[in-house]
Amino acid sequence: MNRRTFLAKTGLVSLSLFLTPDLNASVPSQPDHRPNIVYIIADDLGWHDVGFHGSDIRTPNIDKLGKEGIILDRFYVCPVCSPTRAGVMTGRYPLRYGMQDGVVNPRKRHGLPPDEWTLPQMLEKCGYKQRTMIGKWHLGLASTKFHPLQHGFTAFYGHYNGALDYFSHVRAGQLDWHRDYNASYDKGYSTDLLGGEAVRLIRDSDPNDPFYIHLCFNAPHSPLQAKQEDLAEYGFDPDEPLSQNTDAGLGAREGASNYGKQGRGNTIRQTYSAITTAMDRQVGEILKAIDEKGICENTIVIFHSDNGADPKQGGNNQPLRGNKFTTWEGGVRVVAMIRWPKQLQGGRTCHNMMGYIDMWPTLAAAVGYTDNDGKRRDGINMLGVLKGEKEAPDRPFHLGRDAVATQDWKLVKDELFAISNDPHEKTNVAEQHPEIVKKLSAYRDEFIKMEGPACKTSLPKPTDWPPKEWKIPQE
């Protein structure tokens, strides 16, 4: 058995492999024509909530994207959304800048640090003039220094918070719908508005000027609110009496005050399904716009969820163990895919471990970025692996303070799983492999040492919050 095979079988790789920048530096020269990039992130989509995973939810367009591209079967994110979004933006673990734990809720004073070198800033340096953020930001709203336009985007359309009303676009009593820094009064179902904005930008784009669209749907996250036509597709009966339970975030109906009383049981799954299908429809409209523009061949389309689903809100992560908020597979292993016909052979499934922090260096390689920006990326360039030209390194991947994984092993607290053979985390083999537990525990300790302070606003805490129409205070 050679050394590489031994390392892959045991998971005993040196931490220096994880930290080495060589993989990130190995990028191609400037391509003949830089690709367009459409990066789509769903919100709380479960592993079992897409058709190609056997779901009862109809997602023909997401399925089509996976069939035409590469399904990333072992794609990891964080257990909740803000850290995942931060890691995608930076290619670095959010633990480094105080964003690992929890979400940036409406009263938080921190956000994405201005000194992080973001994905859109890198693309700007590569000549991408149009870099648009659409949808849910969730990376800081206490100060304008956390605004998308301060992090390399040229335009913003969407909302700062999570969990806003799909129809009224209200969060915490104030309108949370914006174009750049200003409130937007556009009417309509949020999923349709966000997808429609992406379609418009694609149709209006200059064929000689590559674009970057970062589209973050708030679907299928709660509050569970769907259009009547989508509810009808799942047998939702508008005349059936609803439960009087009004727990926030459970299946709501369009049309009544605050869009309906809340229901439980099957109503929740039906509403979640309807929301997901509405999102899938917009994915289809985006793919159609790309085709009609004649730019499919050289457009990178990425799709993944920000974390696993919360079953209490209608999602389904089966047969994976766990859910959102946990580092079990159901919380951090998500539906993911990439399509780039010009460079990546489609119709395949990639079983190599990769994740959210890898997308920055992988896209950097795709667009020919080779400069040293002074920031060490935690993610690695996986383009050669996706092309089938390189072996994927076996490295530790940080999933949270309590969990770390390699290609073959995963440690959660004090439980060890041979994850490549036991993806459902059924059998704890810690007693049989104490040396691997020790090694992975050491990796985990090293990860925790990365922790840095959160970047907080210097503005005084306002007495009245939220501000009218969620106008972010200027700093």
Side-chain angles (χ1 to χ4, degrees):
M1 182 182 296
N2 62 36
R3 184 172 182 272
R4 175 175 287 277
T5 302
F6 173 76
L7 293 177
K9 292 292 185 182
T10 63
L12 304 181
V13 296
S14 168
L15 188 60
S16 63
L17 174 63
F18 167 69
L19 293 175
T20 181
D22 291 345
L23 286 165
N24 294 340
S26 179
V27 297
S29 59
Q30 185 74 13
D32 293 333
H33 182 65
R34 291 156 297 167
N36 304 296
I37 302 169
V38 180
Y39 199 131
I40 305 172
I41 299 179
D43 199 350
D44 286 14
L45 181 68
W47 182 262
H48 195 65
D49 293 331
V50 290
F52 69 90
H53 280 169
S55 178
D56 55 342
I57 299 177
R58 291 179 280 282
T59 57
N61 298 295
I62 295 172
D63 299 345
K64 177 178 182 287
L65 180 60
K67 184 176 181 180
E68 294 176 349
I70 302 173
I71 293 173
L72 308 176
D73 189 60
R74 186 93 184 277
F75 191 91
Y76 283 128
V77 294
C78 295
V80 290
C81 71
S82 292
T84 297
R85 296 166 196 277
V88 168
M89 283 289 105
T90 65
R92 288 158 45 86
Y93 285 117
L95 186 70
R96 291 190 181 276
Y97 41 90
M99 296 192 71
Q100 181 70 42
D101 303 314
V103 299
V104 184
N105 70 41
R107 291 195 174 274
K108 294 288 186 180
R109 308 294 292 161
H110 72 290
L112 188 64
D115 62 349
E116 286 294 324
W117 186 243
T118 65
L119 181 55
Q121 287 172 321
M122 178 271 288
L123 293 173
E124 178 183 17
K125 199 166 186 179
C126 293
Y128 284 71
K129 298 176 183 177
Q130 179 188 314
R131 306 176 306 279
T132 304
M133 168 67 206
I134 302 174
K136 177 180 174 179
W137 177 237
H138 224 197
L139 291 176
L141 45 76
S143 162
T144 50
K145 74 178 182 180
F146 303 133
H147 194 278
L149 296 184
Q150 297 298 317
H151 286 286
F153 288 104
T154 56
F156 169 64
Y157 180 72
H159 49 109
Y160 303 136
N161 292 283
L164 87 163
D165 191 294
Y166 280 73
F167 295 98
S168 69
H169 315 148
V170 167
R171 178 68 162 93
Q174 289 294 332
L175 177 70
D176 185 9
W177 204 254
H178 310 272
R179 188 172 293 279
D180 297 334
Y181 292 105
N182 301 314
S184 169
Y185 306 100
D186 292 348
K187 303 296 183 183
Y189 190 62
S190 62
T191 303
D192 296 346
L193 291 176
L194 299 178
E197 181 74 2
V199 167
R200 182 187 68 80
L201 290 172
I202 292 166
R203 288 175 175 167
D204 293 347
S205 65
D206 183 343
N208 298 312
D209 195 7
F211 60 79
Y212 167 51
I213 295 173
H214 193 82
L215 170 58
C216 296
F217 286 111
N218 56 312
H221 193 291
S222 62
L224 300 188
Q225 298 171 316
K227 296 185 295 182
Q228 292 288 4
E229 56 265 35
D230 291 323
L231 287 166
E233 187 174 337
Y234 290 94
F236 186 98
D237 184 357
D239 297 321
E240 180 182 345
L242 288 175
S243 164
Q244 293 303 305
N245 186 290
T246 56
D247 292 346
L250 300 182
R253 227 182 249 180
E254 176 189 1
S257 175
N258 296 320
Y259 305 102
K261 294 180 180 180
Q262 314 293 333
R264 285 193 177 276
N266 194 39
T267 301
I268 298 172
R269 181 63 177 174
Q270 287 172 322
T271 311
Y272 177 96
S273 301
I275 295 170
T276 303
T277 289
M279 176 179 67
D280 178 82
R281 185 183 305 115
Q282 291 306 314
V283 171
E285 291 298 315
I286 290 166
L287 298 180
K288 180 182 176 182
I290 290 170
D291 287 342
E292 291 177 345
K293 191 72 176 181
I295 57 175
C296 175
E297 193 71 12
N298 199 34
T299 296
I300 298 173
V301 181
I302 297 167
F303 177 93
H304 65 81
S305 183
D306 60 351
N307 46 250
D310 181 355
K312 293 180 181 179
Q313 303 294 339
N316 187 345
N317 301 304
Q318 295 178 357
L320 301 182
R321 179 180 179 179
N323 49 261
K324 178 182 178 179
F325 310 116
T326 77
T327 51
W328 300 113
E329 294 289 276
V332 293
R333 181 175 173 179
V334 296
V335 174
M337 59 200 68
I338 182 171
R339 187 186 76 174
W340 186 16
K342 184 177 181 180
Q343 295 287 339
L344 302 177
Q345 179 185 350
R348 296 181 290 135
T349 297
C350 176
H351 298 285
N352 296 112
M353 181 183 68
M354 61 184 298
Y356 68 118
I357 54 171
D358 297 326
M359 303 317 293
W360 196 110
T362 299
L363 288 173
V367 303
Y369 178 78
T370 57
D371 290 354
N372 180 6
D373 54 46
K375 290 283 188 182
R376 181 188 290 274
R377 306 265 98 73
D378 294 309
I380 63 174
N381 166 23
M382 293 290 287
L383 187 59
V385 176
L386 295 173
K387 287 183 175 182
E389 298 172 351
K390 294 183 179 180
E391 280 191 55
D394 192 16
R395 52 169 171 150
F397 199 104
H398 181 44
L399 302 173
R401 294 178 184 272
D402 65 344
V404 62
T406 64
Q407 183 65 36
D408 291 324
W409 302 98
K410 181 179 175 184
L411 184 69
V412 184
K413 298 180 181 178
D414 59 353
E415 295 187 57
L416 179 70
F417 303 92
I419 199 67
S420 57
N421 298 318
D422 181 18
H424 306 154
E425 299 170 298
K426 292 182 176 180
T427 306
N428 177 14
V429 295
E431 290 187 5
Q432 295 92 315
H433 300 280
E435 75 286 357
I436 297 176
V437 172
K438 182 178 179 180
K439 197 74 175 182
L440 295 188
S441 295
Y443 291 150
R444 191 167 56 190
D445 291 343
E446 288 297 318
F447 283 127
I448 293 173
K449 291 177 183 177
M450 296 178 183
E451 185 168 10
C455 177
K456 297 183 178 181
T457 176
S458 61
L459 295 173
K461 193 171 183 178
T463 54
D464 294 323
W465 195 260
K468 182 176 174 57
E469 297 178 340
W470 280 103
K471 186 173 180 60
I472 293 182
Q474 186 172 358
E475 182 175 9

